[in-house]
Amino acid sequence: MHRRSFIKGAGIAAAAATTVAAPAIAQSMPKISWRLTSSYPKSLDTLYGISTHLSKRIAEITDGNFTIQPFAAGELVGGLQALDAVQEGTIECAHTLSSFYIGKDPAFQFDTSLPFGLNTRQHIGWLYYGGGRELVNEFLGGYNIHAIPAGNTGAQMGGWYRKEINSLADLNGLKMRIAGMGGTIMSRLGVVPQQIAGGDIYSALERGTLDAAEFSGPYDDEKLGFYKVAKYYYAPGWWEGTANASLYINKDKWASLPPAYQAALETVSSETMSHCLAKYDANNPEALYRLVAQGTELRVFPQEVLDAGYTASREVYAEYAAANPVFKKMYDQWSAYTEKQRVWNRLAELPFDGFLAGKTQ
């Protein structure tokens, strides 16, 4: 009798333990469903692709308990309204470029990158190990947003032009689609900047309401068809020597996530960044060869244009820093980091890259 009572009691205890443990597991892996709006059309399979990649991997990592449904620009909100939608909480998160929103505050530019600033590796280093993310999220907290770096185009091209740019004077009165602070600086050189979402640029160039347009690099630009309506393709894209795309998350939604899901988002965003860069590095050269074969004429900006742009950029930054304490705080820290990076770059990276650039296989 004692033996039967013991076995029966043990069985009841085991069942009770199972009953108690199940809710704890369920609480750590709750069912959560979010929506993500992208600032990019589906035709841009790399920039929009960061959204589909993140969605797929989050579901895999959490056994389908945390799902994020991506939407292209215009499906929920316009490409340039992503920030407002996330800030207000009507959409949980977005993939977007902070430089789209400098009209609200020039400090938004830092997350994407500053014109004539850091290259891709240096900028990612600043974000993760140079204090950049802390400064960016301190600033974005005022907009009820938490940001995670989640994609990058690498160095971009300088855009498509209907006529050649042989001197600084050729920029005067030029109507150009150019995003972010690059447009502010180009306006100092005589350009009339236009802020137009990626999917609307082609028709504006075709109609002649634009004389020039920049967007990204050969792989994306080929997909958008700019080579059909503008013949000259210029380099370098000095306003975006790199361009970091971030996952903007409503701050309240971020705070409500279980720590495991927060860690999953950090991990997947980092993976997404690597895939995005690798895809651009692999595909941009191939696209460039195709564009040239279809009649695109490659050009490099005249030295006087580059010199004038650099000088204007530093004038703009000084003006913003004098008028905006947040911009000054970020710019002072960024400047100190940038100077040390340039010393290292001159010593190690540039001699190596410069030597190989002059070689053929």
Side-chain angles (χ1 to χ4, degrees), residues 159-291:
W160 298 84
Y161 298 75
R162 298 168 71 93
K163 65 176 185 178
E164 288 189 82
I165 305 300
N166 295 312
S167 68
L168 193 58
D170 290 332
L171 294 178
N172 194 42
L174 194 80
K175 299 187 295 295
M176 181 178 183
R177 184 275 179 189
I178 178 168
M181 207 165 285
T184 305
I185 295 165
M186 280 291 246
S187 70
R188 304 285 178 103
L189 309 186
V191 169
V192 182
Q194 310 288 317
Q195 180 97 310
I196 300 174
D200 301 323
I201 299 172
Y202 180 90
S203 59
L205 267 177
E206 187 178 37
R207 292 194 308 268
T209 55
L210 287 178
D211 302 310
E214 65 80 33
F215 186 75
S216 181
Y219 185 65
D220 284 341
D221 291 355
E222 180 188 30
K223 289 179 177 298
L224 294 173
F226 301 147
Y227 65 94
K228 299 174 185 176
V229 287
K231 181 178 181 180
Y232 302 103
Y233 199 23
Y234 273 81
W238 48 261
W239 43 85
E240 284 175 317
T242 186
N244 173 69
S246 280
L247 179 68
Y248 274 18
I249 307 169
N250 178 274
K251 196 174 178 182
D252 299 326
K253 295 293 184 180
W254 170 256
S256 69
L257 280 181
Y261 287 1
Q262 290 182 345
L265 274 178
E266 287 279 356
T267 299
V268 170
S269 293
S270 180
E271 177 185 292
T272 299
M273 167 84 77
S274 298
H275 278 266
C276 186
L277 271 172
K279 189 171 182 179
Y280 275 121
D281 284 343
N283 289 326
N284 273 330
E286 298 294 333
L288 188 63
Y289 276 97
R290 290 193 298 269
L291 288 168

Side-chain angles (χ1 to χ4, degrees), residues 21-338:
I25 295 170
Q27 288 171 10
S28 66
M29 295 287 282
K31 290 281 188 181
I32 295 177
S33 180
W34 279 8
R35 295 180 301 168
L36 183 158
T37 184
S38 172
S39 285
Y40 307 102
K42 289 181 179 179
S43 58
L44 299 178
D45 64 319
T46 307
L47 281 173
Y48 178 72
I50 63 177
S51 302
T52 57
H53 182 98
L54 180 137
S55 175
K56 176 177 179 291
R57 294 291 286 141
I58 280 292
E60 290 173 345
I61 286 173
T62 64
D63 288 331
N65 288 303
F66 184 17
T67 59
I68 300 176
Q69 184 178 3
F71 293 88
E75 291 183 338
L76 294 179
V77 297
L80 303 182
Q81 281 75 55
L83 168 71
D84 293 335
V86 174
Q87 180 182 2
E88 294 162 5
T90 55
I91 298 171
E92 289 82 5
C93 59
H95 270 136
T96 192
L97 212 62
S98 68
S99 56
F100 291 152
Y101 312 109
I102 63 166
K104 297 176 182 291
D105 192 308
F108 272 102
Q109 186 70 42
F110 284 95
D111 187 32
T112 297
S113 72
L114 266 65
F116 286 113
L118 298 164
N119 66 25
T120 300
R121 284 173 51 200
Q122 291 167 342
H123 186 67
I124 294 172
W126 176 69
L127 286 171
Y128 278 100
Y129 291 99
R133 280 195 68 185
E134 290 80 0
L135 287 170
V136 166
N137 275 318
E138 179 183 334
F139 165 67
L140 288 176
Y143 292 84
N144 198 31
I145 284 172
H146 177 79
I148 305 175
N152 200 298
T153 66
Q156 295 191 9
M157 289 288 285
W160 298 84
Y161 298 75
R162 298 168 71 93
K163 65 176 185 178
E164 288 189 82
I165 305 300
N166 295 312
S167 68
L168 193 58
D170 290 332
L171 294 178
N172 194 42
L174 194 80
K175 299 187 295 295
M176 181 178 183
R177 184 275 179 189
I178 178 168
M181 207 165 285
T184 305
I185 295 165
M186 280 291 246
S187 70
R188 304 285 178 103
L189 309 186
V191 169
V192 182
Q194 310 288 317
Q195 180 97 310
I196 300 174
D200 301 323
I201 299 172
Y202 180 90
S203 59
L205 267 177
E206 187 178 37
R207 292 194 308 268
T209 55
L210 287 178
D211 302 310
E214 65 80 33
F215 186 75
S216 181
Y219 185 65
D220 284 341
D221 291 355
E222 180 188 30
K223 289 179 177 298
L224 294 173
F226 301 147
Y227 65 94
K228 299 174 185 176
V229 287
K231 181 178 181 180
Y232 302 103
Y233 199 23
Y234 273 81
W238 48 261
W239 43 85
E240 284 175 317
T242 186
N244 173 69
S246 280
L247 179 68
Y248 274 18
I249 307 169
N250 178 274
K251 196 174 178 182
D252 299 326
K253 295 293 184 180
W254 170 256
S256 69
L257 280 181
Y261 287 1
Q262 290 182 345
L265 274 178
E266 287 279 356
T267 299
V268 170
S269 293
S270 180
E271 177 185 292
T272 299
M273 167 84 77
S274 298
H275 278 266
C276 186
L277 271 172
K279 189 171 182 179
Y280 275 121
D281 284 343
N283 289 326
N284 273 330
E286 298 294 333
L288 188 63
Y289 276 97
R290 290 193 298 269
L291 288 168
V292 170
Q294 294 177 87
T296 296
E297 296 194 21
L298 300 179
R299 297 288 188 273
V300 175
F301 285 121
Q303 188 63 40
E304 68 170 329
V305 170
L306 294 173
D307 289 339
Y310 183 86
T311 299
S313 73
R314 269 50 195 175
E315 291 172 353
V316 167
Y317 303 156
E319 291 170 13
Y320 283 142
N324 185 322
V326 174
F327 188 95
K328 184 180 189 308
K329 177 181 179 179
M330 298 177 80
Y331 184 59
D332 287 348
Q333 193 272 359
W334 177 90
S335 296
Y337 179 88
T338 298

